[in-house]
Amino acid sequence: MGPARVWPWRLLLGVIFLATAASLWVAAERVDYTWRWNRVPQYFAFRAETVHRAAFAGTVTDVSVQGQTARVSLRGDQGESDTLEVAAQAVRVGSGELVSEGDPIGSTFRWRAGPLAWGLWTTIWISFVSGALGLVLGLATGLCRIARNPTLRGLASFYVELIRGTPLLVQIFIFYFFIGTLFDLDRIVAGVGALAIFAGAYVAEIIRAGIQSIPRGQMEAARSLGMNVRQAMIHIILPQALKRTLPPLAGQFISLIKDSSLVSVIAITDLTKSGREVITSSFATFEIWFTVAALYLVVTSMLSQAIAWMERRLAVSD
Amino acid sequence: MIEVRDLVKVFRSRGQEVRAVDGVSTRIEKAEVVVVIGPSGSGKSTFLRCLNGLEAFDSGHVVVDGADLASKKTDINRVRRDVGMVFQQFNLFPHKTVLENLTLAQRVVRGRSKSDADAKARALLAKVGIAEKEGEYPSRLSGGQQQRVAIARALAMDPKVMLFDEPTSALDPEMVGEVLDVMKTLAREGMTMAVVTHEMGFAREVADRVLFMDEGKVVEEGTPEHFFKAPREERTKLFLSQVL
């Protein structure tokens, strides 16, 4: 048998993708829906207009345009004077014009982040903070799971079983309504806390499996050189275990980014909740949900790229 | 240097009891090379692992340089600094370079500076004949090279005793010689050594004393001449007839 030919299968793959896209397009054409993709970008960023008004009644003495900005000089009836800088294309007065107090002189424009951008940012930082906390919590719990002390082991197992055995949505509600009320927690703290505790349980199991996958001889070699358990863990076992657990940890953090959408139920304006809010004003239901899905995909694939890069870097000793 | 009195180690699993080390008493003097031989499952490796506390024993005493491992007051980590160990499977740290394998414990345990540790490590790598490999990771080395690095790693701690647990058993035959040569050099230099091995040639040539173990007990003990030429015990004769 000669070398397997790859290109027919690549071609088939392309045909399948094209056929799927085409059938989706046909289906989209058949439903009675007007696609308005042009409405989406304004929810990422828009130019906010600030109208500048005359502070007193008087006369416009001068309008001088310098590139993009115009300087409008005013002289008041009581001898006050003022100079306003506004955008050149939005000057509403001419030189010599009489103005009353509160009359619009012109506008300035600034780019502002829209709700989708804010939602995306919220999702990213909530995922990052709860992921970092979850990693610390998971590391500690994972170490407790393999500790010799039965109390630590029992506590760690209980925590892991409790969190893995209940739905995240229910945990978020309990954390917000019950624990949040007990300790007077902000909704953000409650949301991040619930996500971190949830992630910690899964990370703990990944770490435990990673540590147990390191051959016993590594610990024995470290101990026989006079290192105590802590030194052996820090220098020998954990670096190897973390390297092995990088792929499953990546999967866990990608899940966490997606699971963070559930905090929208306690009114945290993450990407999902922003999407819902934007739909109520834009009526572009399909477009916004597709956009939200694409944004999640961008964030998760950037994370998996970053982890893949780390894996390649750590592979030098293999 | 090491005194062992009535050492007992019992393995218990699923209701079965195996007395891996069953009442062993012996002494290893300073600068003495003691070779422990015996059939597999005779408890010789377990005995060796009790000498630096890698295996917790059930009763008896192991006194290393005055410190009794059976005593709760003994800091086992302090004892192990002075007892180097070489394993059958090398157990090099795969995520560290050869040089880092030798310097890590020096710095973490002995608190030496980087330059001191590096100098010590380089000298030892030169001694075991692999100075040019200091920047490599262990996975790039042959078995014989890895075991020589492992010996150098143990020596970097300036141990008073070296324990060898079947150091050549996992090696391809052509690499056994290079590891045994390093061990012979160490013996000549006056290192105190306890060696569990199947290499009868090494035992005959280097050992000051040979211990023959079977079923957890020391069956026969003596100089190589006595042991290989005129063994007293029937069990010893049978074993020697099978391996020689």
Side-chain angles (χ1 to χ4, degrees), chain A residues 218 220 223 235 240 317, chain B residues 49 77 80 92 95 137 139:
Chain A
Q218 290 291 307
E220 291 183 349
R223 298 301 308 276
H235 295 287
Q240 296 183 56
S317 60
Chain B
R49 289 159 59 85
N77 296 318
R80 284 182 182 142
L92 291 179
H95 61 305
Y137 285 95
S139 56

